[in-house]
């Protein structure tokens, strides 16, 4: 069950049958053709498959919207596009703030510097 911030239940996971993509990609598989109808000889026959899609999160747009609403725009650290914000308090330390940001970025984190003062 996936619930949003207002505790409404949303369906995300789906299993779908796709009849169009096999046609679009001209997919076929061989089947045995038994002798019979209208004097056909026994031989090979081709059939069109059906593709089964399993989408565990549903559409990316729907899952993103549910996550944004659930976290009220305050992403958890592991999901945040900006994990660290360095904010220098005075103009003379802006250079050091950028050095700190570079060090944090080198450690594998997403970091920004807000040096607009």
């Amino acid at each position: 069950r996936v619930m949003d911030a207002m505790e409404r239940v949303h369906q995300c996971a789906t299993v779908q049958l796709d009849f169009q993509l096999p046609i679009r990609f001209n997919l076929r598989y061989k089947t045995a053709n038994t002798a019979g109808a209208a004097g056909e000889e026994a031989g090979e026959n081709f059939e069109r498959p059906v593709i089964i899609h399993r989408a565990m999160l549903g559409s990316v747009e729907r899952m993103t919207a549910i996550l944004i609403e659930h976290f009220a725009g305050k992403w958890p650290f592991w999901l945040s596009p900006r994990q660290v914000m360095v904010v220098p308090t005075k103009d003379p330390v802006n250079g050091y703030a950028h050095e700190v940001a570079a060090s944090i970025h080198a450690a594998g984190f997403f970091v920004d510097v807000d040096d607009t003062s």
Side-chain angles (χ1 to χ4, degrees), residues 31-37 39-45:
T31 62
N33 185 15
T34 58
E40 291 181 353
E41 296 181 22
E44 293 179 345
N45 192 17

Side-chain angles (χ1 to χ4, degrees), residues 63-114:
M63 192 64 202
T64 303
I66 291 169
L67 283 172
I68 289 170
E69 187 173 325
H70 177 75
F71 292 114
K74 297 177 182 173
W75 296 98
F77 185 75
W78 59 270
L79 191 58
S80 178
R82 183 187 313 162
Q83 295 171 325
V84 178
M85 173 66 83
V86 179
V87 183
T89 56
K90 298 178 185 176
D91 286 340
V93 295
N94 284 352
Y96 180 66
H98 285 277
E99 288 177 27
V100 169
S103 174
I104 294 170
H105 181 72
F109 296 97
F110 297 110
V111 60
D112 283 332
V113 176
D114 183 3

Side-chain angles (χ1 to χ4, degrees), residues 11-78:
Q11 175 186 345
C12 286
T14 62
V15 176
Q16 301 169 344
L17 298 178
D18 190 337
F19 296 92
Q20 296 302 313
L21 281 180
I23 295 170
R24 184 174 179 182
F25 293 118
N26 194 27
L27 300 178
R28 306 179 310 163
Y29 65 94
K30 287 184 183 182
T31 62
N33 185 15
T34 58
E40 291 181 353
E41 296 181 22
E44 293 179 345
N45 192 17
F46 290 95
E47 296 287 336
R48 180 93 48 208
V50 175
I51 296 176
I52 301 173
H53 293 280
R54 182 185 79 161
M56 294 309 294
L57 300 177
S59 72
V60 173
E61 295 85 4
R62 184 183 321 155
M63 192 64 202
T64 303
I66 291 169
L67 283 172
I68 289 170
E69 187 173 325
H70 177 75
F71 292 114
K74 297 177 182 173
W75 296 98
F77 185 75
W78 59 270

